[in-house]
Amino acid sequence: MSWHVLGAGSLGGLWAARLFRGGEPVRLILRDRTRLAQYRAGGGLRLTEGDTTSLYPLPAEAPEAGNSIRRLILACKSYDAEEAIASVAARLEPDAEILLLQNGLGSQDAVAARVPRARCLRASTTEGAFRETDFHVVAAGAGQTWIGDQLGTQAPPPWLDTLTALGFTLRWTDDIDARLWRKLAINCAINPLTVLHRCRNGELRQHASEVADLCSELAALLEAMGLAPAAQGLQQEVEAVITATANNRSSMLQDVERGQRTEVSYLLGHALPIAQRLRLPVPQLEALHQRLRARLEERGLPVD
Ligand code: NAP
């Protein structure tokens, strides 16, 4: 049974190359025929791990290709996910499984609504990868990936073991949304501040009280949503992440520096309307969102 990986960027490239290397049948789905021609001209997908760069001649196709899709890894950014799934929806088999690698929250529901018959699995990953150039991905740090169903009631798919044997560090969870919310909260406490202070994660130690205020509002929001366990020890974990990734630039800062759209709508932009609905005052988070939007506007970037 073949895998399809939609999006040959950082994470998609990493996943696809590992599947291919492990002998799994896998096909890339690229945006359009222009991208497909560019990919083919390069002879395949390059993956750098440590000092080694390998070229993997993975087959690739456009969204409108004729073959059907049984297992799909959706590896585009959150803001592209709905349009991307729509472009292949007609090709999905009735019992298709889709693994959603998007960070933040909001895009997963939008995708699931577009393909109600498919089993949509959500992932939360700490793996790191970046694009050196088009179709050349650099693995930037091992991590683990939690996977679960939105409803948390179904059994893990049998291919979880196959992927684990290929070197993926995967964990099944019955509460994937709590994990995604915890990660969203950590991202909200760190990423926007790194953009506003134009700093690496570690420099946020100089803004400890700002970080603490945000953590306290984020923890209150998680509790108000009935996710008390995801709120526990949030500030300590944020501080630990800041220390462990002191030398890193957050993904949001990298997006801004590259002049790319951020995923803010799926992080702060997803959390704030929920706080409003719950009538929970979150003035620090609101102010952070306003400042971030102003900074994005200043840089000529989309504010959503
Ligand atoms: P990325 O490097 O920008 O790759 C996204 C890829 O999706 C690009 O190759 C893009 O194609 C492709 N794409 C977009 N729309 C498409 C469409 N309609 N059809 C086909 N391909 C399409 O992004 P990423 O870093 O892999 O991030 C993907 C998601 O994983 C994000 O939500 C991110 O937050 C999350 N994540 C990433 C990392 C990481 O280390 N990179 C870690 C944790 C979570 P083009 O090249 O043509 O634009």
Side-chain angles (χ1 to χ4, degrees):
M1 211 183 287
S2 190
W3 290 91
H4 284 83
V5 177
L6 188 153
S10 315
L11 274 196
L14 183 68
W15 278 66
R18 281 195 196 142
L19 285 166
F20 183 81
R21 186 170 61 192
E24 289 284 306
V26 52
R27 302 182 69 81
L28 291 170
I29 301 176
L30 305 181
R31 198 185 276 280
D32 53 30
R33 294 192 176 277
T34 308
R35 291 303 262 159
L36 191 55
Q38 290 165 352
Y39 171 77
R40 288 185 175 149
L45 190 67
R46 282 175 176 75
L47 174 65
T48 299
E49 288 169 295
D51 296 335
T52 310
T53 299
S54 309
L55 174 65
Y56 298 106
L58 272 93
E61 61 197 32
E64 61 274 16
N67 61 80
S68 66
I69 298 173
R70 170 74 180 82
R71 289 189 303 212
L72 176 70
I73 296 172
L74 195 68
C76 56
K77 298 277 198 183
S78 309
Y79 47 75
D80 283 326
E82 199 179 343
E83 197 181 320
I85 201 66
S87 75
V88 295
R91 295 173 56 193
L92 294 174
E93 291 181 17
D95 54 351
E97 291 167 308
I98 306 173
L99 180 60
L100 304 171
L101 294 185
Q102 287 63 46
N103 199 13
L105 277 153
S107 69
Q108 298 89 345
D109 285 342
V111 168
R114 284 270 183 171
V115 287
R117 286 193 304 165
R119 182 183 188 191
C120 288
L121 297 161
R122 298 160 181 229
S124 176
T125 187
T126 54
E127 287 217 84
F130 62 89
R131 273 199 273 192
E132 180 76 33
T133 55
D134 277 355
F135 312 119
H136 180 176
V137 174
V138 180
Q144 66 177 8
T145 303
W146 286 93
I147 297 177
D149 263 311
Q150 185 199 1
L151 300 174
T153 47
Q154 299 190 49
W159 45 257
L160 220 59
D161 292 339
T162 315
L163 297 195
T164 303
L166 297 183
F168 291 89
T169 308
L170 306 178
R171 302 266 182 277
W172 180 255
T173 171
D174 288 336
D175 203 356
I176 187 67
D177 276 11
R179 293 213 169 257
L180 283 162
W181 267 106
R182 175 75 168 199
K183 183 148 188 260
L184 180 150
I186 294 169
N187 282 167
C188 286
I190 295 177
N191 295 12
L193 284 181
T194 63
V195 173
L196 293 171
H197 295 297
R198 292 195 180 103
C199 69
R200 289 177 191 261
N201 292 359
E203 288 164 58
L204 291 186
R205 284 178 290 211
Q206 290 154 32
H207 304 279
S209 67
E210 216 176 349
V211 172
D213 288 347
L214 294 174
C215 287
S216 128
E217 289 189 1
L218 287 160
L221 174 59
L222 293 174
E223 275 173 23
M225 290 174 64
L227 296 171
Q232 259 171 33
L234 179 66
Q235 187 181 331
Q236 287 86 336
E237 189 174 350
V238 166
E239 287 165 0
V241 170
I242 287 172
T243 301
T245 61
N247 217 16
N248 293 5
R249 285 188 172 79
S250 74
S251 54
M252 192 177 274
L253 179 61
Q254 289 181 44
D255 286 339
V256 171
E257 286 180 339
R258 288 195 205 113
Q260 286 176 354
R261 184 175 174 185
T262 69
E263 294 184 301
V264 59
S265 289
Y266 302 86
L267 299 166
L268 267 178
H270 184 75
L272 288 173
I274 295 177
Q276 216 168 38
R277 231 175 292 145
L278 293 169
R279 299 181 191 282
L280 180 77
V282 285
Q284 305 288 337
L285 289 170
E286 297 275 8
L288 181 71
H289 196 210
Q290 287 311 317
R291 286 161 69 203
L292 180 65
R293 286 164 65 95
R295 175 61 56 84
L296 295 175
E297 206 161 20
E298 233 172 76
R299 305 278 306 233
L301 293 172
V303 296
D304 63 351

